[in-house]
């Protein structure tokens, strides 16, 4: 009908490349919004649990399976020795999509370690960090962290307070925030 023709003609001024880019931006921003929602957080929790049920051994705690490498975490492990292979979570440096593509590697999705609170670049990542946003990792740890990581978070807090992580040579740690609001250190 007439409405279809109006839509076709109104989009004719945009190239297919521009339309594709707009769809990509929309997808990334919707993904970040979903991932931070209660349903999205639950989905990621279930992904971790499915990974555990498919790779874990009977009669062992989830922490044992994480630590001995029986289960490979979805987003990788922290490479720092003091973190004992802590599972990583995705995080972005910004909540805004890099439309011009000029942000380079710094705008790609990174991985966050809850133990040392450092962010790591993964060179194979092509996803803009806005797909996860700056709050997802901290929100996930606050809401689902104890259920997914169990005593690993308690151990991480203890390690963080030890001399190992207060070494002057370490990289500056990330200050945990959710939607721009800083979190109290006791949260996780």
């Amino acid at each position: 009908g007439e409405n279809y023709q109006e839509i076709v003609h109104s989009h004719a001024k945009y190239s297919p490349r521009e339309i594709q880019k707009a769809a990509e931006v929309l997808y990334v921003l919707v993904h970040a919004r979903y991932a931070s929602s209660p349903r999205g957080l639950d989905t990621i929790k279930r992904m971790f649990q499915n990974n555990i049920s498919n790779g874990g051994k009977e009669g062992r705690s989830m922490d044992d399976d994480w630590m001995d490498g029986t289960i490979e975490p979805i987003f990788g492990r922290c490479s720092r020795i003091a973190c004992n292979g802590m599972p990583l979570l995705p995080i972005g440096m910004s909540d805004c999509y890099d439309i011009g593509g000029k942000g380079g590697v710094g705008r790609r999705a990174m991985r966050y370690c809850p133990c040392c609170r450092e962010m790591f670049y993964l060179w194979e990542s092509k996803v803009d960090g806005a797909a996860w946003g700056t709050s997802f990792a901290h929100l996930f740890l606050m809401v689902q962290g104890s259920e997914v990581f169990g005593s690993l978070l308690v151990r991480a807090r203890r390690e963080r307070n030890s001399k190992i992580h207060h070494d002057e040579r370490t990289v500056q740690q990330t200050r945990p925030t959710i939607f721009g609001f800083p979190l109290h250190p006791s949260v996780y």
Side-chain angles (χ1 to χ4, degrees), residues 4-54:
Y4 175 76
Q5 291 300 323
E6 288 176 28
I7 292 171
V8 169
H9 291 299
S10 69
H11 287 18
K13 61 185 172 187
Y14 299 107
S15 71
R17 190 175 188 297
E18 291 173 318
I19 293 172
Q20 177 66 32
K21 190 65 174 178
E24 182 180 316
V25 171
L26 181 63
Y27 177 80
V28 164
L29 296 177
V30 167
H31 179 275
R33 186 70 174 257
Y34 175 76
S36 295
S37 71
R39 195 171 188 177
L41 293 169
D42 187 61
T43 299
I44 298 296
K45 177 187 82 171
R46 283 187 280 120
M47 286 174 65
F48 272 106
Q49 289 172 334
N50 286 342
N51 202 17
I52 290 166
S53 65
N54 292 336

Side-chain angles (χ1 to χ4, degrees), residues 47-67:
M47 286 174 65
F48 272 106
Q49 289 172 334
N50 286 342
N51 202 17
I52 290 166
S53 65
N54 292 336
K57 295 179 182 174
E58 291 288 326
R60 292 169 41 107
S61 76
M62 182 172 26
D63 295 345
D64 291 337
D65 290 333
W66 281 127
M67 297 307 288

Side-chain angles (χ1 to χ4, degrees), residues 76-151:
R77 296 179 181 277
C78 184
S79 59
R80 295 190 66 199
I81 294 170
C83 295
N84 296 316
M86 181 73 175
L88 300 174
L89 292 169
I91 194 167
M93 292 294 292
S94 174
D95 292 318
C96 301
Y97 187 82
D98 185 24
I99 294 175
K102 294 182 175 44
V105 174
R107 294 302 299 254
R108 292 185 188 155
M110 301 171 72
R111 299 297 185 261
Y112 174 78
C113 175
C115 186
C116 63
R117 292 189 177 168
E118 290 185 21
M119 293 189 289
F120 300 94
Y121 288 108
L122 291 177
W123 299 113
E124 69 271 8
S125 177
K126 303 279 188 266
V127 176
D128 191 288
W132 294 99
T134 57
S135 299
F136 170 77
H138 309 298
L139 190 61
F140 183 81
L141 288 168
M142 195 169 89
V143 175
Q144 306 286 0
S146 61
E147 200 171 330
V148 173
F149 298 123
S151 66

